[in-house]
Amino acid sequence: MGVARAKNWVPNRPVQDSRLAWEAAVPELRRRANPWWAVPLRILGAAVPMGPRHKHVPGGPTGYAREIGQEASGGRLKQFAIPVDVVSERLSPDERRLLRAEGELPDWFFDAVEEERRVRKNR
């Protein structure tokens, strides 16, 4: 039934369902938030020498590539925060129990989050 399962899930924590839904959804949302063009930038940015011997290089051109790639995926991930809150209110009691116990979200959840994000973006 569920499509998302968070790693190292701690069952039945005393936090709100919306927070649990966010934690369970983040791996999938992170995947969806990464634009295709940010991948080469992150790879290129990983080539930047790090450490005390390279302090004279303030990031260089590939440092900017890494920053741009991280900003793009981070900014897109933030766009999902409120939609996850809104959609988590639609979970049935059985779906809430499964979320709390296993960290699983129903198969319809991510489509509903995407739709809510689009609606909010167009407002």
Side-chain angles (χ1 to χ4, degrees):
M1 173 170 181
V3 294
R5 173 174 255 161
K7 293 180 181 178
N8 304 322
W9 188 260
V10 178
N12 302 314
R13 286 178 286 151
V15 296
Q16 293 180 341
D17 291 340
S18 58
R19 176 66 187 174
L20 293 174
W22 174 257
E23 290 177 14
V26 162
E28 174 64 17
L29 294 176
R30 189 171 283 130
R31 186 188 68 76
R32 291 178 182 219
N34 283 330
W36 65 269
W37 51 265
V39 173
L41 293 176
R42 283 194 307 274
I43 292 169
L44 185 61
V48 174
M50 302 302 273
R53 291 194 303 160
H54 298 97
K55 284 193 177 183
H56 65 279
V57 179
T62 55
Y64 291 121
R66 179 177 47 228
E67 289 173 22
I68 291 169
Q70 288 173 342
E71 285 176 15
S73 47
R76 288 180 181 217
L77 187 61
K78 289 177 189 175
Q79 292 178 0
F80 289 109
I82 293 174
V84 166
D85 258 3
V86 171
V87 174
S88 67
E89 296 297 319
R90 301 178 198 161
L91 293 172
S92 71
D94 288 338
E95 291 166 337
R96 288 174 192 272
R97 277 192 291 279
L98 186 60
L99 171 63
R100 287 196 163 278
E102 303 292 329
E104 288 188 23
L105 293 165
D107 53 356
W108 58 265
F109 188 83
F110 291 103
D111 290 337
V113 167
E114 288 279 2
E115 181 60 30
E116 183 68 27
R117 185 186 63 83
R118 276 192 291 275
V119 166
R120 289 184 168 280
K121 187 177 179 179
N122 292 331
R123 283 186 190 170

